[in-house]
């Protein structure tokens, strides 16, 4: 196995749930509540903690992550919405657009 193949495999293994969500192959409830709501709360708590501790470098890294995260979660929820009912799929899509 070449180093490039090994790195790609490790990347794919480590980020397998995120890749499945991005591709729309996960349950909408898992993506919406787990990756959407819980992760957003975790990012907010981390940022508040870094702000309180005066950790400027960590705050800046979190700002970059927080800027890219809404794009990823919007696409993941949009792709996973067909896995839910006709009520929950569109509702999750538009709630995520409004939040983003």
């Amino acid at each position: 196995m070449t180093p490039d193949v090994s790195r790609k495999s490790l990347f794919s293994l480590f980020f397998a749930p995120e890749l499945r969500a991005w591709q729309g192959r996960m349950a909408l409830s898992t993506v919406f509540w787990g990756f959407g709501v819980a992760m957003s709360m975790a990012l907010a708590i981390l940022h508040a903690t870094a702000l309180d501790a005066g950790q400027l470098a960590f705050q800046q890294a979190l700002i970059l992550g927080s800027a890219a995260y809404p794009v990823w979660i919007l696409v993941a929820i949009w792709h996973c919405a067909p896995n839910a009912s006709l009520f929950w799929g569109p509702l999750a899509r538009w709630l995520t657009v409004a939040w983003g």
Side-chain angles (χ1 to χ4, degrees):
M1 188 180 294
T2 66
D4 289 337
V5 172
S6 175
R7 272 187 240 128
K8 182 180 178 186
S9 298
L10 288 174
F11 179 83
S12 296
L13 286 173
F14 186 76
F15 289 107
E18 290 83 0
L19 291 170
R20 283 195 347 262
W22 179 268
Q23 297 164 348
R25 297 185 296 130
M26 287 186 87
L28 177 63
S29 60
T30 302
V31 176
F32 185 85
W33 291 108
F35 290 118
V37 175
M39 188 59 132
S40 295
M41 289 175 54
L43 283 172
I45 291 168
L46 281 173
H47 191 76
T49 303
L51 188 63
D52 186 51
Q55 298 174 340
L56 186 59
F58 191 48
Q59 290 175 39
Q60 297 300 315
L62 284 170
I63 287 172
L64 289 175
S66 296
Y69 178 73
V71 174
W72 177 82
I73 196 63
L74 178 63
V75 171
I77 287 176
W78 208 271
H79 287 168
C80 291
N83 301 338
S85 72
L86 290 176
F87 175 76
W88 293 113
L91 181 62
R93 282 179 171 174
W94 295 116
L95 284 173
T96 306
V97 167
W99 167 83

